Every structure is written in C-alpha cells, then in structure tokens.
Amino acid sequence: MPTINQRELDICAAQKSEEWEVISSIYPDCVSIDSSNGILKFEIPVELEYPMDVFVTESGTTEKQEHHLSLSSLPPILIEVVLPPTYPLSEAPEIASFHVSGSWIPRSGHLLEALKEMWQPGEGILYTWVEWIRSAAFLDAMHIIHDDVLRIPHAAPQLLLPFLTGYESKSQSSKFNQASHSCGVCFETRKGSRCLQLFCGHIFCRACLRDGWSLYITEGDVARVGCLDPQCVKDGQEAHEDEVRRIVTEEEVRRWKWLREKKAAERDPSIVLCPMFLCQTPVPKPPGADVQDGTGWERLRTCHACNYSFCSFCKRTWHGPLSDCPIQIAEKLVIEYMELAEDSPVRKAMERRYGKKNLEKLVAKYEEARANREWLEKSTMACPSCHVHVEKSMGCNHMTCTKCKQHFCYRCGSKLQASNPYEHFSKPDGRCYSKLFDATVTDWEEPMGGFIWV
C-alpha cells in the first residue's frame, strides 16, 4: 500500500465525516454508529417501487410448487462496516458483518461480492450501497426478478412465507417509525426508529434491549434473551435470531447461538438443533435409532417443525445411510472422540448422541486412511506431473510414468529430460550422483522386477 501523509489522512477524515452526515440525515432510520469501536451499522430495508408478485418455491426439488405473495417491501439487509484510515482515497470500506434477515436472498454471497466491487479509489461508496439496496435495484443483479415478477427459491418455504408476510404487515405500518412509543423498561417516550417491536408485539427502546441482552449473553443466561415484559418473561418467550442481530454485536450473536446449542446439548446429548436458520428447533433422536446403530440410519434427523431432513453429524441435507459425511467434518469428529478417555463423560455423551458402533466404524476408517497415507509417503514416490504414486520393487531409479509419460527420478522426485534422463545421475554436484541403482551386489542375483502402480 503506498504511503500517505498527514494531509491526505485529514482529507480522508473530512470526507468520511461529511459522507456520514449526509447518509445519517437522509436515512436516519437505517444507520447508526457504535461509538465504542467506530463500526457503522446499516439496517437497510428493501422498498419495492410498487406491490410486486412474489413466488416462493422449494429449492432442490423437482416438484416446483409455488407460493404466491404480493409484497411492497422485503426484509432488511444488515451490514456492519469499518472505514480504514485512508478511505475513500486508497482503501475500500471493510464489511465486518453481512446478514440477510430471513435468508430470503438466494446466493447472498454474490450480493456481498457485488458491493465490494462497486468501490472505486477516491470515491465514497456508502450512499450508493444504501440506495442500491433500499431501492431494490440490486434484484436484477441477483437474477431473481423477471418481467416484474420476483422468484425466490428457498429450502423451507413454509418458514419463509410467514416471515415475509409478517415483515410486510409491520413495514406497511409506517406510523411506527414516525410515531413515539413508550419503552416497557425505562418508560421513556422515543421515536419508533429508536425502538424495536418484538414478534410478541411488545415495544422496547433499543438502548434498554442492548443493555439487558448484552449482559445476559456475557453472563451466559441466554434464556433471558427475549421479551422483557413480565408476562413474556414468565412464559419464557425467547428472542428470534433476527431480533438479536438487530440489537447486539456480531460477536455477541455468535456467543448467543453457541450458548443455545450448548444448553440444548447439556440437557440431552441426543438432541440436535435443526440447522434451518428460521427454525432451530431441537430435534430428538427418533424412536428405534439405537437398534439401527451402525447402519447409518441413526444419523437421520427430521425436524417436526419444518420437516427438514438432515444428517446429525454434518448438519447438511440428508445424504443417505451409505454416503459418508464430508471428510473434514468426519475427521474432526473422530479426532475429538479418540482424544477422550474411555471413561470420559464427554465420550459417553458423544456415543449417546452419534451411536457407539457408528463412531467405532468412523475410527476404523480414519485409522485405515491414515495408515494408507503413511505407507504412500514412506514406500512410494509421486510422479511430479500427474502425482500418480509409484512403488519400485527393483531396478534403476529412472522412471517413466505410464500415465503422462513424464521421466523422473525415483529417489528425489525430480523431473528428468526425456532426451537425456541419465544426466541427472552423472552430475558430481547432484544429490543423486552415481545413484542410478540402489541395489546391492546380492540383489542382482534375483531376476529384475518392475514396479507397481498404486
């Protein structure tokens, strides 16, 4: 990165200050700043120009059953941005957190990349980002709008549909942001833009929710992260993830989710949370799963709330009893299991959750794969071009790969010139000098063999 002097830093600071003043004056309800760390927080609603036909279909299925809605607004996109010292002259803004409420945008990572590519050195980009998202102009870039019809593929339409309609009904009531509301905790009257109406209907100012929820998350009391109304507290009304994300930091959200999973696992190791974002319902082990231990079927979980079927090991869509989970996930689980003592409570809990026979089968596969890797590293040499492994039983160290015809040295793996492959063994300063043959005198008493491809 080129050096920048103090004058240019002052120019960047002035431009950032001016840009933020403009954005906060135009979109006071969409932007805020965390004074403790300087993170800019954007909660950008997607406002359609006119009521649009929206069709939600289930992704990953051949039967395209469509669910029709008429919407004039879509759930917001939450972005946290950090502005480097030399923005906007030479450094792009850093997107620290990116989340689509309700996960209604398919392949939302493409939108994130599109935002990053829009910045040009020397130009402020924050206003362009907000307006591009707020005006729904980005939908064309996502390729989900055709002939003024918005089509949204989703893994669980039965969960997304009520979320969209619920948000539509709330956004239609524009009076909420314009009117003043009394917080149920501090009883102060504040503008609706500084308050949050929970799904249960109760309204609190964001400051009170932030103070309370941040404290509960820090202390690990996640059961209290919810509505602060006395009746809802009595009923155990917990907050939804979208509500939590709109109040606390991304780091606190991660800790809140981890504590919820930990709490469920501590109650019953066999319970697994549904991995669907809008569901997260605890899913118990089905009846008879212990009888199926070792067959692969004991990994199957079907959420009774959203009917999503998934693997309890890798948390992905159910891939059948015979197909293995992704290698990195299986290895991580096996290594964790093998490191535990046999009488460890954690090991017993893992056996209850995943099945002892299934874990023993994974351990056997892991040990076999590790032994194969060690043997390949110790007893073979890989072709430097196509990486096929070769085991030499006898003969000289000049090899010719039968797959790609590459000449190479079996001792060091170096590529050899096809026109003069033996030059490699004739250089006095080379490490393979006079090493064309490794055999001893007694070895020549046996007939020369070839080599085996493995």
Side-chain angles (χ1 to χ4, degrees):
M1 183 180 69
T3 57
I4 188 166
N5 56 42
Q6 185 60 43
R7 179 176 174 274
E8 291 174 322
L9 288 175
D10 294 339
I11 294 175
C12 290
Q15 291 181 350
K16 285 188 287 189
S17 177
E18 180 181 357
E19 183 180 23
W20 180 249
E21 288 178 4
V22 171
I23 293 177
S24 57
S25 62
I26 298 176
Y27 308 108
D29 301 333
C30 301
V31 298
S32 62
I33 184 170
D34 191 337
S35 57
S36 63
N37 51 25
I39 292 180
L40 309 181
K41 303 186 73 170
F42 296 83
E43 183 178 333
I44 312 172
V46 181
E47 301 173 0
L48 302 175
E49 186 177 356
Y50 47 84
M52 181 178 293
D53 289 329
V54 179
F55 291 90
V56 181
T57 59
E58 185 175 359
S59 59
T61 60
T62 55
E63 298 180 1
K64 297 296 183 182
Q65 182 180 1
E66 295 183 327
H67 306 271
H68 175 258
L69 297 172
S70 180
L71 303 176
S72 58
S73 59
L74 293 164
I77 296 173
L78 312 179
I79 306 176
E80 292 186 0
V81 179
V82 177
L83 299 181
T86 56
Y87 167 84
L89 288 183
S90 58
E91 284 189 277
E94 178 185 352
I95 299 179
S97 173
F98 182 85
H99 175 73
V100 179
S101 296
S103 300
W104 62 271
I105 299 179
R107 302 178 300 277
S108 59
H110 294 177
L111 174 58
L112 176 60
E113 292 301 322
L115 291 173
K116 294 179 180 179
E117 293 173 359
M118 292 173 67
W119 176 78
Q120 296 294 329
E123 298 180 3
I125 195 63
L126 300 183
Y127 173 83
T128 305
W129 280 357
V130 176
E131 186 60 21
W132 192 52
I133 294 175
R134 187 201 62 81
S135 63
F138 73 95
L139 292 177
D140 290 328
M142 296 294 100
H143 305 294
I144 57 176
I145 186 170
H146 305 282
D147 300 327
D148 292 334
V149 175
L150 181 62
R151 298 187 181 277
I152 303 176
H154 196 269
Q158 67 274 26
L159 295 177
L160 181 61
L161 290 170
F163 185 82
L164 293 177
T165 54
Y167 180 80
E168 173 73 1
S169 62
K170 286 197 301 182
S171 62
Q172 286 297 324
S173 180
S174 59
K175 295 181 180 180
F176 179 82
N177 285 337
Q178 301 299 327
S180 299
H181 304 274
S182 176
C183 173
V185 175
C186 65
F187 301 108
E188 292 188 10
T189 301
R190 301 179 184 270
K191 286 286 296 291
S193 59
R194 301 303 175 188
C195 298
L196 180 65
Q197 184 174 21
L198 304 180
F199 280 95
C200 60
H202 294 112
I203 301 173
F204 303 94
C205 70
R206 292 174 179 259
C208 287
L209 287 175
R210 185 180 301 111
D211 292 342
W213 288 1
S214 295
L215 177 63
Y216 300 147
I217 292 173
T218 300
E219 295 181 344
D221 194 1
V222 289
R224 298 181 65 184
V225 180
C227 181
L228 304 179
D229 180 80
Q231 185 58 45
C232 285
V233 172
K234 184 179 179 180
D235 296 339
Q237 181 70 40
E238 296 189 16
H240 292 238
E241 182 175 348
D242 278 302
E243 296 171 334
V244 177
R245 283 186 177 275
R246 296 169 72 175
I247 298 297
V248 301
T249 64
E250 182 67 22
E251 182 179 354
E252 289 172 326
V253 171
R254 289 195 294 267
R255 174 171 170 78
W256 171 74
K257 294 176 68 175
W258 175 77
L259 287 170
R260 287 186 66 195
E261 294 176 359
K262 181 174 180 290
K263 182 180 177 183
E266 286 175 349
R267 287 197 300 263
D268 186 351
S270 64
I271 290 180
V272 182
L273 291 179
C274 175
M276 291 302 300
F277 164 72
L278 293 176
C279 185
Q280 300 183 24
T281 301
V283 182
K285 182 182 291 187
D290 293 333
V291 179
Q292 298 173 332
D293 190 10
T295 65
W297 286 105
E298 73 280 359
R299 294 178 294 173
L300 173 63
R301 297 289 187 275
T302 302
C303 178
H304 63 273
C306 65
N307 294 322
Y308 178 61
S309 297
F310 61 97
C311 173
S312 62
F313 273 39
C314 60
K315 306 299 189 300
R316 301 189 179 187
T317 302
W318 175 239
H319 46 69
L322 301 180
S323 299
D324 293 331
C325 297
I327 295 176
Q328 62 273 22
I329 297 176
E331 283 193 357
K332 181 180 178 181
L333 182 68
V334 169
I335 293 173
E336 179 184 356
Y337 177 73
M338 293 173 62
E339 290 177 348
L340 297 171
E342 292 189 4
D343 56 348
S344 169
V346 179
R347 185 184 180 108
K348 297 296 183 183
M350 291 182 68
E351 291 174 351
R352 284 183 56 198
R353 182 171 187 175
Y354 301 112
K356 184 176 181 179
K357 292 182 180 179
N358 207 15
L359 287 171
E360 290 175 348
K361 185 187 296 183
L362 287 175
V363 169
K365 287 184 178 180
Y366 174 78
E367 294 287 2
E368 182 181 358
R370 184 172 64 178
N372 287 336
R373 287 195 301 267
E374 292 176 353
W375 179 82
L376 286 174
E377 294 175 359
K378 181 180 179 181
S379 305
T380 67
M381 174 61 70
C383 170
S385 291
C386 66
H387 306 293
V388 167
H389 283 267
V390 175
E391 180 190 14
K392 180 171 75 82
S393 60
M394 202 171 184
C396 71
N397 289 317
H398 165 220
M399 294 290 169
T400 303
C401 180
T402 58
K403 182 179 180 181
C404 65
K405 307 305 179 183
Q406 173 66 52
H407 295 255
F408 65 96
C409 174
Y410 186 81
R411 294 189 75 254
C412 65
S414 300
K415 291 183 179 181
L416 305 181
Q417 296 181 1
S419 58
N420 187 12
Y422 299 103
E423 180 183 6
H424 175 74
F425 304 97
S426 303
K427 294 180 179 180
D429 57 342
R431 56 178 173 174
C432 297
Y433 176 64
S434 297
K435 298 291 185 180
L436 177 60
F437 292 95
D438 290 330
T440 62
V441 176
T442 56
D443 290 333
W444 293 106
E445 297 176 0
E446 301 293 334
M448 286 189 62
F451 49 83
I452 304 171
W453 295 100
V454 293

